[in-house]
Each structure stands twice: as C-alpha cells, then as structure tokens.
Amino acid sequence: MKIVAGSASKRLAGKLGEVLNVPVIEAQYKLFPDGESYFRIPESVEGEDIIIVQTTGPPQDKHILELVFLLDTVKDFGAKKVTLVVPYLAYARQDERYLEGEVLSSKVVAKILNSIGANKLLTVDVHNEAVLSFYNFEAINLFASEVFADYIEKMELKDPFVLCPDQERPEILKPIADRLGTEYDWLEKFRDRITGEVKTKEKKLPVKDRDVLIVDDIISTGWTVVNAINILKKQGARDIYVFATHLVFAEGARERILNAGAKEIIGTDSIERDESKVTLAPLIAKHL
Ligand code: R5P
C-alpha cells in the first residue's frame, strides 16, 4: 500500500502515512508560465493499493482537476486498487438544481471520477450525503464529531453547551454532547438563494454564563456562525468556541467570526489552515 499526496493535502497525507505506517509519495507539481499545471508521480505504483489524498477546498476547480490527473495517472501506471480520500468534497452543496438551468456540479464531478474509475471514496461530513449516490463505486461519509469530541474532552470549559448554528443534521452533535455530559440544540437558518444572505431565527437557549461550542460542517462566508454568536451573546453566553470540519474561509470569514466575539476557531486538517488543530488522520485510517 502507498499513499499519494496531492498538493492540497500534504499534511494530512503525511499524518495518515504515520498512522498507517505506509510510505507517502508526494506528487511533484509545477506551474508553467502560461498557467497550466504539471504533475508527476515520481515512484512506481504498479500492482499497489493506492490511496490518493487530495481535498478539494479553495481553489476548488484546480484541486478537483489535480485529483482527476492523479487518479488517471495511478490507474495508467497499473495501481491495483485506488481509494480516494477527499475530506472536503467540493460542490456537495449543489446537490440539486435549485433554480432552472443550474449546473448540477456535484454530479458532474462524480461523472468525471466515475469515468476514470476508483474503488472507493472516503469523505468527511459531506454537506449532503445524497451526492454520494452519484458515484458508481463505494462512497462513504465519515463524521468528524468523534475526533472533535476527543479534542473537546481535554478543554477546560465552564458548564458547556453545544449548538448547531443551523437545522442541517444537528444529530451529529450528539456524540460531542454525550461525551461532555451536556445537552445540545440548534438554530434555524435560511439562505436567500439569489443574494446569499443568511438569516437565523432567534430562539431562547439555556446559555447564560455557560461556555458554548458552536459546531458546523463548513465555514464558508462565516455568516451562519456570526448570526449564532450574536444570538448567544445577547443571551449572556460566556466563552464561545467555533468548531467546523471544513474551514473554507471565503470572503474574510475568519476575521468576521473573531470580530463577532468567538474566543477561538478550531477546525480539522480537511482544509489546511492555521486553525486546523484536529487531525482527521485517525478517523480516516480506521476506515481504510
Ligand atoms: C450549510 O447549511 C452548512 O451547514 C453551513 O452552515 C454553511 O455552509 C456555512 O456557510 P456560511 O459560512 O457561508 O454561512
């Protein structure tokens, strides 16, 4: 078995190699003066079980194309079985056509990968599991709540409360709340499909003088989390910690969240950021 590390996931691939005790091949990459990319896999993959680790965070299109290049190349050079580890699966929020004429991008990405062929796809906290049905090979979604719970357990928190900033799958918070021996709840959020504006319905929460952990799958613009912070502060919450599996961080989201009053942002190495304090490597390794 060998791991091929794509340019977007070098750190995670290295950690996965350590956990699994398998060699990691770093794909060679350069940019030509005209803007085209060059890749090379500098070691033999013939007859090997290959794990390609390449997340598809920003710039999404570039990282998807790299994944396609790497997959096609290992197949061409005789890899036996290929597993794609794509912790952040780009375009999973375009899981259907919400407006007439929209590109069903999550399906297009799957069609491209299907056409080359792989044996398995592992992703984490995919925004909508429905997109996995577009794959004609095994596609599995893992949940980061387990590794977040390991991290949270070591924090010193005052009477913690766990909050999902929207109504999308709040039940994934249960393992965290259970580990802390506390409760969890969620808010209801609406996004304007045309302007992208995020609105969150106020709700009375038992957070006065308590530390609150906001847990979400993605931080993109950060408005979902900012709205939740504003509601929590109004209701007298103490320290607010923001956990997200995928730190996409579009349009100054990090600053927006910290300025709103979050004490700390904690993410995973699904997308490699300064705040990637929790590694997904043990979770992924368990499923390989
Ligand atoms: C979607 O509903 C997700 O669970 C996240 O809440 C959302 O993607 C975050 O987006 P933003 O950071 O742009 O508010």
Side-chain angles (χ1 to χ4, degrees):
M1 184 185 280
K2 285 182 180 173
I3 292 174
V4 172
S7 68
S9 291
K10 288 185 193 163
R11 229 195 293 170
L12 176 60
K15 289 216 177 98
L16 207 51
E18 280 168 29
V19 179
L20 293 170
N21 196 22
V22 300
V24 179
I25 308 172
E26 213 173 280
Q28 292 176 350
Y29 164 78
K30 69 181 175 189
L31 195 64
F32 287 114
D34 62 359
E36 289 181 3
S37 302
Y38 165 94
F39 293 99
R40 178 169 173 257
I41 296 170
E43 275 179 45
S44 169
V45 293
E46 198 178 341
E48 297 276 357
D49 285 350
I50 293 296
I51 301 162
I52 298 176
V53 188
Q54 168 75 347
T55 206
T56 54
Q60 289 87 335
D61 298 351
K62 176 181 178 294
H63 288 149
I64 289 170
L65 191 59
E66 180 177 344
L67 176 66
V68 169
F69 284 164
L70 294 177
L71 172 60
D72 188 67
T73 308
V74 298
K75 296 272 293 186
D76 260 3
F77 282 100
K80 196 163 82 186
K81 196 174 139 204
V82 185
T83 300
L84 305 176
V85 172
V86 187
Y88 180 65
L89 191 59
Y91 292 113
R93 287 185 291 177
Q94 187 74 50
D95 53 318
E96 56 180 277
R97 294 194 161 102
Y98 293 98
L99 298 175
E100 176 85 14
E102 281 181 349
V103 173
L104 187 44
S105 28
S106 55
K107 194 170 182 183
V108 178
V109 172
K111 273 185 185 169
I112 297 168
L113 295 172
N114 287 342
S115 71
I116 303 169
N119 298 82
K120 194 187 218 173
L121 168 77
L122 281 185
T123 188
V124 182
D125 285 333
V126 67
H127 183 68
N128 188 339
E129 286 194 336
V131 303
L132 301 182
S133 67
F134 297 143
Y135 289 85
N136 63 14
F137 47 88
E138 188 184 13
I140 297 174
N141 181 36
L142 308 176
F143 299 97
S145 10
E146 193 185 310
V147 281
F148 274 150
D150 293 341
Y151 181 93
I152 291 166
E153 218 172 29
K154 296 187 195 106
M155 292 172 74
E156 284 183 16
L157 298 166
K158 186 182 172 232
D159 195 10
F161 181 79
V162 187
L163 182 73
C164 190
D166 67 21
Q167 62 283 17
E168 315 259 350
R169 297 177 303 130
E171 66 284 353
I172 64 163
L173 269 53
K174 193 170 181 311
I176 298 174
D178 283 353
R179 194 85 74 85
L180 290 171
T182 188
E183 333 94 84
Y184 70 97
D185 205 340
W186 61 92
L187 296 168
E188 280 194 53
K189 173 196 90 176
F190 312 90
R191 191 188 297 269
D192 186 302
R193 294 243 167 255
I194 310 288
T195 64
E197 194 193 347
V198 176
K199 288 198 178 133
T200 307
K201 215 160 124 185
E202 282 235 29
K203 175 181 189 179
K204 182 82 191 109
L205 297 161
V207 293
K208 186 142 180 48
D209 294 327
R210 297 175 75 178
D211 286 344
V212 180
L213 312 172
I214 298 177
V215 186
D216 205 355
D217 55 348
I218 304 170
I219 294 177
S220 180
T221 64
W223 282 113
T224 302
V225 166
V226 167
N227 287 357
I229 294 174
N230 290 339
I231 291 171
L232 289 170
K233 285 184 63 181
K234 231 201 252 179
Q235 298 189 24
R238 198 173 167 260
D239 291 338
I240 301 170
Y241 298 87
V242 177
F243 287 81
T245 311
H246 311 292
L247 301 174
V248 172
F249 281 164
E251 304 170 351
R254 176 194 282 117
E255 294 67 30
R256 187 170 294 124
I257 290 170
L258 294 174
N259 290 340
K263 181 155 188 193
E264 198 180 339
I265 304 173
I266 298 132
T268 75
D269 48 7
S270 155
I271 297 176
E272 296 177 358
R273 306 284 189 202
D274 293 345
E275 294 81 359
S276 299
K277 295 166 191 162
V278 176
T279 180
L280 294 172
L283 175 74
I284 294 167
K286 232 184 349 183
H287 292 268
L288 282 169

